[in-house]
Structures are given as C-alpha cells and as structure tokens.
Amino acid sequence: MEKIENKFIRYVKIDTESSENSSTYPSTSKQLILANLLKDELNNLGLEAEVDEFGLVYCKIEGDNSKKKIGLIAHMDTAPTLPGGNFEPRFIYNYDGNDIKLNEKYTLSPKQFPTLKNEINKTLIVTDGEHLLGGDDKAGIAIIMAICEYYAKNKDINHAPIRICFTPDEEIGSGADHFDVKKMDADIAYTLDGGETNQINYENFNAASCKVQIQGVGIHPGDAKDKMINAILLSVEFNNLLNPEMIPSKTEGYQGFNHLEEISGDVENCTMSYILRNHDENILSQQKESFLKAKETIENKYPLAKVNLEIKDQYRNMKYYFDKDDLAIKKIQETYKQLNLHYTSVPIRGGTDGARITYMGLPCPNLGNGDRLCHGRFEHVVVQEMYEMFEIIKHLLEN
Ligand SMILES: [Zn+2]
C-alpha cells in the first residue's frame, strides 16, 4: 500500500483552483488534470472508473450485496482565496508545540491558533506560506483513494459495495450541480470534507440571500433642504433597523446572522447584498420578515423613496432530511462506538455539497479529513487523522 500522505502530496501539487468568474463547467480546466490522474490511478488498480462530461470522477467497487451500498465523496478543487499547487509542502514530524516558521513573513503559531497545541507529537503537513495547502479537500481524496487501493488489493475481504465520486467546483458552490444520483447508485454516502476526524456533521445552515435596492431623490446639495433623499444614508438607516447582534462577528454555534456582503451606490440609488443564515428555518423566516419590516419603515418615513427587496432561498439544513431517515448517521455513529472513538456533532456554519446531495435523495453527512485552517496560508493537515479516517471508513464498510 502506498502511504496516504504520499498520495496526498501528489494531489496537492496539482493546481486545481476553481474560479467564480467562469462560464464553463468545471470552472477551470486544470481541475481535469487531477480528475484524469485519479481515473488513471483507479484504472491501474484494476477498478472501473470514468471522468464524465462535466469532469466528475465516478468509480464502483462491487462488494457484498447484502450490505448497503456506501458512497464516498470528496471535491477536487481548491478555494480561490490563495493559489494552490506548484509548491513543496513540508512535513513537521513529532510537532513540539512551538512556532512553525512557514517563510520569512509568515509563522504558524499556537499563540495565534491555540488549537495547534492539540497536535503535539503528531505529524503535520504545512504550506510555504504563499499557497493554501489544498487539504480541503485533497485530504479527503487521498483517504478515499487509499480505501480504493486497499480493497483493490485485498479482494478476499468482505465489504459493502463502494461508490466513489470526486466533484469539481465545490468551493464556488457548484460541486453538486451535475452530481448524478442514479449513476452514483448508493444507498447512503459521506462527504470527507470536514476538519477534525472526531466530528460528524449533519446540520448546516438554512440559507437565503436578500438584495436591497434603495432609490432616493438626488438634487444639488446647495438646494437640497427638505428635498434630497440620500439613498446612501437610507441604506445605513435600513441596516440599522436590523438586529445589530445578528451579524457574523457576534455569532457562533447555532446562532444565525444577516451578513451585509456588499454595498454600492450614490445619492440616487444604493444597493446592498445580504446573506441570511440560520440552522432554524423558523428563525430564518423571522429574519426575512425583519427585512420586509425595515422596508416598510423606510417607505413610511420617506414616501418619495423606494425600497425594492429581492429575497431568494439558497439551500436548506440537511438535518430536516435526517429527522425522517437517519440511517447514514446511525451507521457512522455506530462505527465510532465500535472503535471506541469519541465523536461530537458540530453544526456546520455554512452549506455543504452533502446537504444538496441529501436533498437529491442520497443522504450524505460530512466527516473529517484531518485538515485544519483551510482556505489560507496557515492550512495544515494532521497525518495521523488521515489514517484514523481511513480506519473508520474501513470499519464502516466491513461491518
Ligand atoms: Zn471543502
């Protein structure tokens, strides 16, 4: 068996950054380089694999048909926050708990990131300070590829039928756009796209967006008395009518928020873009309601102003699905218990492809892959956790 970290390094060195400013699918063709490499590696193991017309990689490993067919999913792209690939990741063996100098400018320090202290004596893989590592989600891919290699080389072991899918463009919210539930042909599935391997995620935000367009009245400022209605100032007033405690910088855990992402405009017209997030659908409805109330208040106070709201639902908490069908959660929880491993269930403060896939009819909680501080230069992977997840998945497939 090839070491998981060696697979990981090979995948990480391929730049697979996705792009929000693209009209193609996948958004960047370089993701196909990794897709084709994964397909070739699977084929070389004697496994059936394909890259479909959208760049998704599918692979099937037949198994004991009396068991549920289990899907494993990871994404190939990396976030467009920093460049990935084209650099030498570095191993830190037996981490001693001190600062890790990434380069002349940047240091990964437990003073800034206290949870690093939990990784003492472990092996970390870190960046050169100028790239993101891409452990999100190539750590997931490396673990799944190790699972494929293991069962391709140990055909006598009884295990559940395995269904693999690697998706492009997850980081730009399009990873599940062309996911084919029928082709996947699984009963339950898991994305390996979390961080700590002691976390099982099956709750995510309910999400909506709201575009607020405010039209004021423009006039020469010298003659403006009792006539000008400044759309910029109305925007500030509008925002102040929303709950000031319900913003990202003041919320955590199950607390939702309204996040003003962008504002642009002038005296006549001003536009604000918000995202609304909450794990509780009812509270999210109240948040939407508060936007409607703010609109009413502004329009009553300034009859000549116009406020236009465009509220759109984006994605839904997968928890509601699992309230009715929790087999995927029960099975993984049982696996942790049998292995005497502790787990917690942490609500995701975002969305996942797993949530979208769940609502396509394939229940898909999220598991950890050992990655930390993703989407930036301080990203690192805990090698022991990749092996831990490998063992967890093996146990899940064989029991
Ligand atoms: Zn990810």
Side-chain angles (χ1 to χ4, degrees):
M1 283 278 299
E2 185 188 20
K3 287 181 177 170
I4 300 177
E5 59 270 40
N6 291 0
K7 292 184 194 294
F8 176 72
I9 297 291
R10 186 164 61 246
Y11 307 148
V12 157
K13 283 188 179 176
I14 301 170
D15 174 12
T16 56
E17 185 178 338
S18 50
S19 165
E20 263 157 350
N21 313 309
S22 166
S23 52
T24 60
Y25 198 98
S27 64
T28 52
S29 59
K30 55 193 176 187
Q31 295 180 63
L32 295 173
I33 298 171
L34 178 59
N36 285 310
L37 173 81
L38 294 171
K39 174 191 171 279
D40 290 346
E41 289 188 8
L42 291 164
N43 289 155
N44 289 340
L45 290 168
L47 301 172
E48 221 184 281
E50 64 158 312
V51 180
D52 80 357
E53 58 185 309
F54 303 107
L56 285 82
V57 183
Y58 291 91
C59 173
K60 270 184 193 183
I61 306 176
E62 290 314 336
D64 180 347
N65 283 323
S66 70
K67 292 187 157 88
K68 295 277 180 199
K69 291 173 275 188
I70 295 182
L72 301 169
I73 301 169
H75 65 88
M76 296 181 285
D77 65 317
T78 59
T81 43
L82 259 192
N86 303 324
F87 76 102
E88 281 300 322
R90 190 155 57 96
F91 282 83
I92 308 289
Y93 297 98
N94 296 315
Y95 173 54
D96 59 8
N98 294 319
D99 285 1
I100 301 169
K101 193 173 171 186
L102 299 177
N103 61 19
E104 288 310 313
K105 255 166 83 191
Y106 296 103
T107 298
L108 175 60
S109 168
K111 284 173 223 106
Q112 191 181 359
F113 304 108
T115 50
L116 264 175
K117 291 277 183 197
N118 302 335
E119 323 310 347
I120 290 175
N121 293 330
K122 295 184 183 154
T123 304
L124 310 181
I125 305 176
V126 301
T127 73
D128 64 351
E130 298 303 328
H131 295 79
L132 48 72
L133 181 62
D136 173 14
D137 185 18
K138 286 165 185 170
I141 293 180
I143 296 163
I144 295 173
M145 289 298 284
I147 287 286
C148 292
E149 184 182 347
Y150 181 77
Y151 290 109
K153 291 183 175 168
N154 294 281
K155 290 201 168 60
D156 48 328
I157 298 173
N158 181 279
H159 63 82
I162 305 169
R163 303 291 184 258
I164 307 293
C165 183
F166 299 125
T167 59
D169 285 347
E170 190 270 351
E171 298 291 1
I172 55 166
S174 301
D177 284 9
H178 296 284
F179 181 80
D180 188 336
V181 176
K182 262 208 192 111
K183 191 187 277 185
M184 186 70 173
D185 184 32
D187 295 312
I188 55 174
Y190 301 89
T191 44
L192 269 67
D193 194 18
E196 287 90 338
T197 46
N198 63 1
Q199 292 185 7
I200 302 172
N201 318 116
Y202 50 86
E203 292 179 76
N204 59 284
F205 275 145
N206 296 290
S209 67
C210 182
K211 199 170 174 189
V212 183
Q213 284 167 302
I214 299 187
Q215 195 186 340
V217 178
I219 192 160
H220 187 286
D223 304 319
K225 178 127 183 29
D226 298 329
K227 295 186 194 83
M228 182 192 278
I229 304 175
N230 187 339
I232 304 169
L233 296 180
L234 288 199
S235 298
V236 174
E237 207 172 323
F238 181 98
N239 185 67
N240 289 346
L241 289 166
L242 304 171
N243 185 345
E245 299 304 314
M246 238 185 182
I247 58 172
S249 57
K250 291 189 178 179
T251 49
E252 61 182 356
Y254 282 108
Q255 298 166 322
F257 56 73
N258 302 315
H259 172 45
L260 176 56
E261 273 192 323
E262 206 187 316
I263 176 163
S264 66
D266 52 27
V267 173
E268 295 253 8
N269 288 291
C270 198
T271 303
M272 296 186 286
S273 301
Y274 288 87
I275 56 169
L276 287 60
R277 300 288 186 260
N278 211 300
H279 292 100
D280 185 323
E281 265 182 332
N282 295 324
I283 304 179
L284 186 73
S285 299
Q286 292 167 18
Q287 287 170 240
K288 292 180 196 166
E289 202 59 43
S290 71
F291 278 75
L292 293 166
K293 268 193 201 131
K295 166 186 156 76
E296 220 180 279
T297 305
I298 296 284
E299 285 184 336
N300 285 340
K301 192 168 166 191
Y302 306 95
L304 292 176
K306 270 212 167 64
V307 181
N308 184 44
L309 298 185
E310 212 178 288
I311 300 176
K312 279 187 190 154
D313 284 317
Q314 292 176 308
Y315 53 81
R316 199 167 175 236
N317 189 346
M318 58 180 149
K319 174 186 180 289
Y320 302 116
Y321 185 101
F322 293 121
D323 285 344
K324 285 176 232 140
D325 173 6
D326 64 355
L327 178 71
I329 297 170
K330 282 267 148 63
K331 264 193 93 68
I332 193 69
Q333 287 175 334
E334 200 47 47
T335 301
Y336 273 74
K337 278 180 205 152
Q338 285 165 2
L339 291 170
N340 270 324
L341 292 170
H342 167 79
Y343 66 85
T344 51
S345 298
V346 178
I348 301 170
R349 291 180 63 76
T352 71
D353 274 353
R356 288 180 64 196
I357 290 167
T358 295
Y359 284 108
M360 289 176 183
L362 175 57
C364 192
N366 186 46
L367 304 175
N369 58 19
D371 196 38
R372 301 284 193 280
L373 303 176
C374 61
H375 293 200
R377 65 185 87 248
F378 298 112
E379 185 181 11
H380 54 280
V381 153
V382 182
V383 171
Q384 282 81 359
E385 288 197 7
M386 292 201 286
Y387 281 92
E388 188 175 55
M389 187 45 65
F390 173 80
E391 292 301 328
I392 291 167
I393 299 289
K394 247 173 59 180
H395 194 89
L396 172 80
L397 292 166
E398 291 173 22
N399 291 278

XYZ file of all heavy atoms in Angstrom, residues 102-133:
260
model
N 6.824 29.417 8.423
C 6.465 28.971 7.070
C 7.409 29.585 6.035
O 7.833 28.930 5.101
C 5.020 29.349 6.743
C 3.943 28.742 7.667
C 2.566 29.266 7.275
C 3.966 27.224 7.617
N 7.701 30.873 6.213
C 8.702 31.559 5.386
C 9.145 32.811 6.145
O 8.828 32.953 7.337
C 8.156 31.872 3.978
C 6.934 32.800 4.022
O 6.683 33.490 5.017
N 6.175 32.817 2.948
N 9.848 33.717 5.488
C 10.362 34.901 6.176
C 9.237 35.754 6.772
O 9.410 36.401 7.791
C 11.199 35.753 5.199
C 12.549 35.142 4.836
C 13.361 34.710 6.059
O 13.455 35.516 7.011
O 13.873 33.562 6.070
N 8.060 35.710 6.105
C 6.972 36.604 6.503
C 5.956 35.973 7.457
O 5.369 36.658 8.290
C 6.234 37.079 5.235
C 6.560 38.521 4.855
C 6.112 38.874 3.459
C 4.666 39.272 3.307
N 4.289 39.345 1.871
N 5.719 34.677 7.279
C 4.598 34.070 7.986
C 5.007 32.904 8.891
O 5.812 32.055 8.495
C 3.539 33.576 6.998
C 2.920 34.699 6.213
C 3.286 34.931 4.886
C 2.002 35.559 6.817
C 2.736 35.987 4.170
C 1.444 36.621 6.107
C 1.813 36.824 4.787
O 1.269 37.860 4.090
N 4.401 32.896 10.080
C 4.661 31.844 11.052
C 3.333 31.274 11.553
O 2.428 32.032 11.906
C 5.462 32.416 12.254
O 6.719 32.884 11.759
C 5.700 31.373 13.312
N 3.248 29.969 11.531
C 2.070 29.286 12.076
C 2.335 29.107 13.563
O 3.235 28.368 13.951
C 1.912 27.934 11.359
C 0.821 26.987 11.834
C -0.556 27.617 11.720
C 0.863 25.698 11.008
N 1.580 29.835 14.376
C 1.910 29.888 15.800
C 0.725 29.508 16.680
O -0.407 29.947 16.449
C 2.356 31.310 16.146
O 2.412 31.459 17.539
N 0.990 28.725 17.748
C -0.087 28.401 18.692
C -0.590 29.630 19.451
O -1.670 29.584 20.028
C 0.546 27.377 19.635
C 2.004 27.437 19.403
C 2.239 28.038 18.063
N 0.200 30.719 19.428
C -0.298 31.951 20.068
C -1.488 32.485 19.275
O -2.471 32.951 19.833
C 0.812 33.006 20.134
C 1.835 32.711 21.216
C 3.024 33.674 21.138
C 4.333 32.944 21.323
N 5.128 32.771 20.098
N -1.385 32.396 17.963
C -2.482 32.857 17.113
C -3.555 31.773 16.963
O -4.745 32.072 16.881
C -1.915 33.247 15.733
C -2.902 33.989 14.862
C -2.295 34.341 13.497
O -1.136 34.051 13.208
N -3.104 34.955 12.651
N -3.133 30.522 16.928
C -4.075 29.409 16.732
C -3.873 28.386 17.867
O -3.146 27.393 17.695
C -3.836 28.738 15.377
C -3.913 29.690 14.207
C -2.775 30.066 13.518
C -5.139 30.222 13.807
C -2.840 30.944 12.447
C -5.213 31.109 12.733
C -4.066 31.468 12.054
N -4.501 28.636 19.025
C -4.246 27.819 20.221
C -4.533 26.317 20.026
O -3.924 25.487 20.701
C -5.208 28.398 21.260
C -5.547 29.760 20.769
C -5.454 29.722 19.277
N -5.422 25.969 19.075
C -5.754 24.541 18.910
C -4.563 23.735 18.381
O -4.574 22.511 18.436
C -6.943 24.346 17.951
O -6.682 25.093 16.765
C -8.246 24.815 18.572
N -3.516 24.433 17.894
C -2.297 23.735 17.466
C -1.726 22.881 18.597
O -1.085 21.855 18.356
C -1.241 24.753 17.046
C -1.115 25.106 15.563
C -0.113 26.214 15.402
C -0.684 23.892 14.744
N -1.956 23.323 19.822
C -1.447 22.588 20.991
C -2.012 21.166 21.059
O -1.422 20.283 21.685
C -1.797 23.348 22.285
C -1.030 24.655 22.434
C 0.375 24.425 23.014
C 1.109 25.737 23.227
N 2.556 25.569 23.393
N -3.179 20.954 20.414
C -3.758 19.593 20.393
C -2.976 18.667 19.470
O -3.199 17.458 19.479
C -5.214 19.623 19.893
C -6.083 20.522 20.741
O -5.770 20.758 21.909
N -7.166 21.028 20.169
N -2.101 19.231 18.653
C -1.424 18.387 17.642
C 0.009 18.038 18.050
O 0.787 17.558 17.232
C -1.400 19.082 16.274
C -2.594 19.911 15.858
C -3.931 19.222 15.999
O -3.980 17.991 16.189
O -4.944 19.926 15.946
N 0.368 18.302 19.299
C 1.736 17.997 19.751
C 2.037 16.504 19.568
O 1.166 15.655 19.831
C 1.932 18.445 21.221
C 1.932 19.981 21.259
C 3.235 17.895 21.816
C 2.000 20.582 22.634
N 3.230 16.216 19.089
C 3.716 14.844 18.805
C 3.139 14.242 17.526
O 3.451 13.110 17.178
C 3.451 13.874 19.965
C 4.282 14.235 21.177
O 5.374 14.769 21.019
N 3.760 13.988 22.357
N 2.289 14.978 16.846
C 1.744 14.450 15.591
C 2.570 14.944 14.404
O 3.422 15.811 14.546
C 0.284 14.849 15.446
C -0.574 14.204 16.521
C -2.016 14.503 16.351
C -2.788 13.887 17.523
N -4.026 14.619 17.771
N 2.283 14.375 13.237
C 2.955 14.807 12.014
C 2.043 15.762 11.264
O 0.895 15.417 10.966
C 3.279 13.596 11.116
O 4.062 12.674 11.870
C 4.038 14.024 9.872
N 2.547 16.943 10.979
C 1.757 17.935 10.248
C 2.352 18.146 8.861
O 3.565 18.012 8.674
C 1.748 19.282 10.987
C 1.403 19.271 12.475
C 1.418 20.701 13.021
C 0.033 18.647 12.700
N 1.505 18.480 7.916
C 1.992 18.932 6.607
C 1.550 20.381 6.467
O 0.371 20.696 6.636
C 1.426 18.073 5.455
C 1.738 16.586 5.686
C 1.991 18.539 4.114
C 1.138 15.655 4.634
N 2.524 21.262 6.210
C 2.232 22.700 6.171
C 2.599 23.290 4.810
O 3.218 22.623 3.976
C 2.997 23.460 7.290
C 2.638 22.928 8.660
C 4.510 23.378 7.068
N 2.255 24.554 4.615
C 2.486 25.227 3.328
C 3.819 25.990 3.347
O 4.512 26.006 4.367
C 1.375 26.250 3.026
O 1.554 27.387 3.879
C -0.003 25.668 3.280
N 4.111 26.652 2.243
C 5.303 27.505 2.175
C 4.955 28.949 2.535
O 5.744 29.858 2.343
C 5.906 27.454 0.763
C 4.952 28.025 -0.284
O 3.778 28.299 0.055
O 5.370 28.199 -1.439
N 3.738 29.165 3.043
C 3.323 30.499 3.466
C 2.731 31.345 2.347
O 2.151 32.391 2.609
N 2.865 30.896 1.113
C 2.368 31.696 -0.010
C 1.242 30.989 -0.766
O 0.655 31.557 -1.680
C 3.508 32.018 -0.994
C 4.631 32.850 -0.388
C 4.137 34.174 0.207
O 3.165 34.753 -0.306
O 4.729 34.618 1.215
N 0.961 29.753 -0.401
C -0.100 28.992 -1.067
C -1.038 28.447 0.000
O -0.675 28.373 1.166
C 0.480 27.799 -1.833
C 1.368 28.198 -2.969
N 2.669 28.592 -2.787
C 1.115 28.258 -4.303
C 3.201 28.881 -3.980
N 2.282 28.698 -4.914
N -2.251 28.076 -0.428
C -3.017 27.245 0.501
C -2.608 25.809 0.233
O -2.088 25.475 -0.841
C -4.518 27.481 0.402
C -5.262 27.517 -0.929
C -5.365 26.143 -1.514
C -6.632 28.098 -0.705
N -2.786 24.963 1.247
C -2.300 23.589 1.124
C -3.184 22.793 0.162
O -2.693 22.001 -0.631
C -2.277 22.946 2.515
C -1.770 21.514 2.616
C -0.311 21.436 2.172
C -1.909 21.001 4.039
